[in-house]
Amino acid sequence: QDDGKIVIVGPGGSGETRFAVVRYEGFLDADGEKPVIAGIPDDIVVQADPGNTTAVATWEEPTANDNVGVTSFTSNFSPGDAFPIGETVVFYTAEDAAGNRSLAVFLITVEQPEAGFFLDPISIRTDPAPGTVGSTFRTYQRAFINENDLVAFGGSVTDGDSSGSSGVWFGDVDSVDAAAVEGKAAGPGVNYGIFTSVNITDADAVSFNTQMTGAVTSTTDVAHFAGFGGSPLGSQAREGNAAPGSGGNFKAIHASVAGSSMTAFPAHLDITAPITAQSDTGIWSTHSGALTLAAWEGQDVPAIPGARYGHITASMTMNKTGEMAFIASLAGAGGANVAVFTGLPGAFDVAFRRDGLAPDTGGATFRLFAAAAIGGAGDTAVFANLNNSASLGVSSANNDGIWTNIGG
C-alpha cells in the first residue's frame, strides 16, 4: 500500500489458510534507495514421508545489497528447517544504513503423502551379485521378510563368476549380502548346489535346502542349512546322516519352513532296520534348539487315544511361534484315517479329520486333505475334498473347498 505495509489475508471461508502478500516497497529515507534482495527462490513443494507430519525444505540463501550498505538481513526460516503439512510463508527482510527496508517472500507447501504402499528396491536385475566375481542378478525366486525388515531370497546370476549360477542372499534397502553361492564350499569336500526352500527367521537366521556337489552321491547330496546370515552356515541335516530320535538315517529331506527362531522340515528315512515302511516318515525341528523329532510315523497320537501316526505328508507350514500344521494318515483309528494336525511339538491337536462335518455344507463330510496352513494365532485353514453325496447335492462339480477354524 502507499504507506508501505504488507497485507496478509487469512484464514479463508473454507477453513483453509490462504496468504496474499503484497511485496513491501520499503520506507524511503534521505538516500532514496531501498536494499535490493536477489536470489529469492520460486515457491517450493515437498512431500512428507509416510507417517510424518513435517518435511524438510532446502534452498539457496538469497543476498541483499544496497548503495549505503545493508545493516540487517533476516528471515523467519532457514534452509534445512522442517515445515508442517500445508502452506508456510517464508520472508526475508533487508534494511540499509539509512533505514530503508525491503521484503521478499516465497511459499513452501508440504503435501500429505497419498495412502498406499511405498516400495524400495532390495535388489534389481543387473545389480552386482554379492559373493560372486563379476556376476549380476538375472532372475529371482520367492522372497521372505522377517520382523526386522530383513529379506532373504534365492536367485540366479549371469556367467561372470564361473563357480556357479545361483545363490541365496539376504539384506535390506541399504545392503544385500550373500548367504551361500552355488559352487562355493558348503563343508569339507562339498559345495553348494541348487537352492530351494529359502527363508529367514525373526532372529535373522537364513535357512534353505541345497543339492550339494563334490564328494556326494545321489543318496547324500541334499542338506538343510540354517544359521545367521553370512558364512559359515550350519548343516542341520543331510541325507544319509542320522535322523535324531529315530534310530535311522535321512533318505529324502523335503521343503523346509521357518518360524520366529526355528526351522522345521518333513523327511523320509532310509528303510533299513530298525526303520520299516511303517516308520519311515516324520517331521524334525529346531524348536528346542537342537534338531529333534517333532512327529514320527508309528508314534502314538496324544489327541486320539489308540491311534498312531501313519504316513506323514511332505507338505507342512509353521507360524512365527513355531506352531505347525501338517497332514498325516492314522493307524488304529478305524475308518477316519486322515487328519490335519496343528500345534507345538509334543502337543499336536486335531484341527480337521476325515469324515468330520464340513461347516456350511448342509451336512457334507471331509474325504481328503490336500494342504493346510496355520496363522499367527494358531488358527488353521485347509484345502479339502468332500465325500460325494447325492442326497446333499455334493458331486465332483462342487466337492472341493477351503475351510478354516478361525474363531471356533
Side-chain angles (χ1 to χ4, degrees):
Q1 299 183 41
D2 291 340
D3 60 1
K5 293 182 180 179
I6 304 167
V7 178
I8 300 178
V9 181
S14 64
E16 298 179 352
T17 300
R18 297 295 181 189
F19 298 89
V21 179
V22 178
R23 291 181 181 271
Y24 188 83
E25 297 298 330
F27 290 110
L28 298 183
D29 211 326
D31 82 287
E33 284 190 37
K34 60 184 176 59
V36 175
I37 300 175
I40 287 292
D42 294 331
D43 291 345
I44 296 173
V45 178
V46 294
Q47 188 174 69
D49 289 333
N52 290 345
T53 58
T54 63
V56 171
T58 60
W59 62 92
E60 288 192 16
E61 289 271 27
T63 59
N65 295 285
D66 187 79
N67 63 319
V68 297
V70 175
T71 57
S72 173
F73 187 44
T74 60
S75 176
N76 59 336
F77 290 98
S78 299
D81 284 348
F83 293 83
I85 291 174
E87 298 175 339
T88 302
V89 175
V90 177
F91 58 82
Y92 281 83
T93 304
E95 184 172 351
D96 66 13
N100 299 317
R101 285 172 289 171
S102 293
L103 178 75
V105 300
F106 64 95
L107 192 67
I108 292 180
T109 302
V110 178
E111 296 180 340
Q112 178 79 46
E114 295 181 6
F117 293 99
F118 293 82
L119 302 178
D120 289 309
I122 298 293
S123 176
I124 299 175
R125 185 178 178 182
T126 73
D127 279 352
T132 68
V133 179
S135 295
T136 58
F137 287 111
R138 181 169 54 188
T139 62
Y140 297 94
Q141 298 174 5
R142 183 179 179 184
F144 291 85
I145 187 169
N146 69 8
E147 291 186 350
N148 303 318
D149 294 332
L150 285 179
V151 174
F153 60 92
S156 66
V157 298
T158 59
D159 298 335
D161 189 342
S162 60
S163 64
S165 60
S166 65
V168 175
W169 290 269
F170 70 100
D172 55 24
V173 295
D174 296 318
S175 65
V176 172
D177 295 309
V181 175
E182 182 181 353
K184 305 294 186 181
V190 295
N191 298 325
Y192 293 116
I194 298 172
F195 299 95
T196 59
S197 303
V198 176
N199 217 316
I200 187 168
T201 71
D202 289 335
D204 298 343
V206 178
S207 65
F208 55 83
N209 291 357
T210 182
Q211 187 172 9
M212 299 182 296
T213 60
V216 298
T217 68
S218 60
T219 59
T220 63
D221 59 342
V222 175
H224 171 66
F225 282 80
F228 293 95
S231 181
L233 280 77
S235 173
Q236 300 288 316
R238 179 178 172 182
E239 292 178 355
N241 287 359
S246 69
N249 295 331
F250 290 116
K251 179 181 180 180
I253 296 173
H254 304 298
S256 59
V257 294
S260 179
S261 59
M262 72 286 294
T263 62
F265 58 86
H268 275 74
L269 302 180
D270 187 30
I271 301 179
T272 303
I275 304 302
T276 68
Q278 288 72 47
S279 62
D280 68 332
T281 60
I283 294 174
W284 282 260
S285 80
T286 58
H287 185 271
S288 61
L291 187 68
T292 56
L293 187 59
W296 185 25
E297 183 179 357
Q299 278 184 333
D300 290 339
V301 178
I304 307 176
R308 302 184 307 278
Y309 290 115
H311 178 81
I312 298 174
T313 65
S315 175
M316 63 168 295
T317 59
M318 175 189 285
N319 66 15
K320 291 184 178 297
T321 63
E323 293 179 303
M324 305 176 193
F326 62 92
I327 302 168
S329 62
L330 299 173
N337 62 353
V338 179
V340 176
F341 293 89
T342 62
L344 294 170
F348 292 123
D349 201 357
V350 177
F352 302 93
R353 189 171 177 182
R354 182 175 181 176
D355 294 334
L357 287 175
D360 300 320
T361 61
T365 56
F366 292 118
R367 176 174 174 267
L368 295 174
F369 304 103
I374 188 166
D379 298 313
T380 310
V382 65
F383 174 38
N385 175 263
L386 301 178
N387 289 304
N388 290 343
S389 172
S391 63
L392 296 173
V394 180
S395 67
S396 59
N398 64 351
N399 63 354
D400 290 328
I402 297 174
W403 285 265
T404 179
N405 60 4
I406 293 175

